[in-house]
Amino acid sequence: MAELQSSVSDRRPIRGLLLDLDGVVHVRGTALPGSEAIARVRDQNIPLKFVTNTTRLPRRRIVEDLAQMGLRVAMEDVFTPAISARAFLLRENLALFLVAHPDLREDFVGLPEQGREAVVLGDAGACFTYDILNNAFRKILRGAAFLALANNRNFLDRDGELSLDLGAFVSAVEYASSRKALVLGKPSRLFFALAVDSLGCAAQDVAMIGDDVEADVGGAMAAGLMGVLVQTGKYRSGQEKQLDPPPTFVARNLTDAIDFLLS
């Protein structure tokens, strides 16, 4: 059974919703129970954005994959770290040095090629090599800006086991360079602030539903949102005890989470 983690006084009507994708709506392209509950949110005209730390796929592919699962989502309703990074690079007039999966490059087309360089570290998967990371490390030592698309510890891989995520590689480059990366994905306050702004409501009126106790729920609550943890995807038993204060609610799946938020 889903377990309530908050007092009654903590419950308040939501005016906006942020929803993680992998591990909440689907796992490796297979829709999870409760994905149909998204229609109930839309029926009540509650603004909804999908937020993901995926850095191997461009936003176009994410939207196409959701469509194949029967979920129609507009491109502008999907927030990714790559889109956040693109806006940052344009605003600061920084030239891109991207360390990420080759498929992600389309989200960075048309950026300035001149100016101070910025190393942008994403999840390159099998494309990570010593030479690529060492090149990025040397550029950072020479003064390049250091951006990380995410800082997750691990993710649920296609074989059903947890695998190393980007955070391990970010930590390695931070250690070697004695520089801290500016994280542009979850759990960054900046990422959540941009997503909340797009909903047109205050942070305290927005809930985040996710399966990652740190990046999704902890990050959202630190940014002033309500945080709902679902026991699907990468969730492991007892992880909610890692947060202080605890999650607003712990739900079995997306249906339970939305039932709680709309009740």
Side-chain angles (χ1 to χ4, degrees):
M1 293 293 292
E3 180 184 356
L4 184 64
Q5 295 285 343
S6 62
S7 65
V8 174
S9 62
D10 288 330
R11 298 186 66 175
R12 53 190 183 271
I14 62 166
R15 293 184 171 87
L17 180 63
L18 300 180
L19 187 58
D20 185 34
L21 287 171
D22 198 3
V24 178
V25 176
H26 67 88
V27 170
R28 301 181 299 280
T30 300
L32 287 171
S35 57
E36 68 281 354
I38 295 169
R40 295 172 51 208
V41 177
R42 289 173 165 168
D43 288 344
Q44 295 197 24
N45 295 316
I46 295 173
L48 167 67
K49 300 289 182 180
F50 298 88
V51 291
T52 176
N53 265 7
T54 298
T55 64
R56 291 191 188 184
L57 294 176
R59 183 163 63 167
R60 173 189 58 81
R61 278 280 307 281
I62 294 171
V63 171
E64 290 174 355
D65 289 349
L66 290 173
Q68 290 182 352
M69 287 181 271
L71 185 59
R72 295 188 179 276
V73 177
M75 194 86 74
E76 60 270 19
D77 288 338
V78 177
F79 270 75
T80 70
I83 298 305
S84 179
R86 178 186 177 87
F88 183 88
L89 293 170
L90 284 169
R91 185 172 66 249
E92 301 296 326
N93 195 33
L94 293 170
L96 171 69
F97 179 80
L98 181 64
V99 179
H101 194 281
D103 287 350
L104 194 65
R105 289 195 172 275
E106 72 175 69
D107 280 347
F108 292 95
V109 170
L111 288 173
E113 297 181 1
Q114 304 297 322
R116 182 189 175 203
E117 202 164 29
V119 171
V120 177
L121 196 58
D123 181 6
C127 299
F128 271 128
T129 68
Y130 174 84
D131 286 343
I132 290 174
L133 284 173
N134 195 48
N135 194 9
F137 158 71
R138 289 178 173 179
K139 288 178 180 292
I140 292 167
L141 284 186
R142 291 195 291 266
F146 182 15
L147 312 179
L149 295 183
N151 202 26
N152 298 66
R153 296 177 188 273
N154 50 58
F155 68 97
L156 188 64
D157 216 330
R158 293 185 177 277
D159 60 1
E161 299 288 338
L162 294 178
S163 290
L164 277 177
D165 210 336
L166 179 57
F169 299 92
V170 173
S171 294
V173 178
E174 286 181 334
Y175 176 76
S177 66
S178 298
R179 291 266 305 277
K180 292 293 291 183
L182 174 62
V183 179
L184 294 172
K186 298 176 291 184
S188 161
R189 286 176 180 262
L190 174 62
F191 186 83
F192 281 109
L194 291 171
V196 168
D197 284 348
S198 74
L199 294 171
C201 46
Q204 65 265 25
D205 297 324
V206 177
M208 169 75 204
I209 301 176
D211 66 324
D212 188 317
V213 70
E214 289 181 306
D216 293 334
V217 181
M221 295 181 71
L225 290 72
M226 293 173 271
V228 177
L229 180 66
V230 290
Q231 297 173 325
T232 53
K234 67 189 294 184
Y235 170 83
R236 295 295 182 266
S237 179
Q239 285 185 328
E240 59 272 19
K241 297 175 183 177
Q242 299 174 15
L243 290 185
D244 184 19
T248 307
F249 188 64
V250 179
R252 288 175 300 178
N253 52 36
L254 183 54
T255 297
D256 281 355
I258 291 178
D259 283 347
F260 169 77
L261 292 171
L262 297 185
S263 63

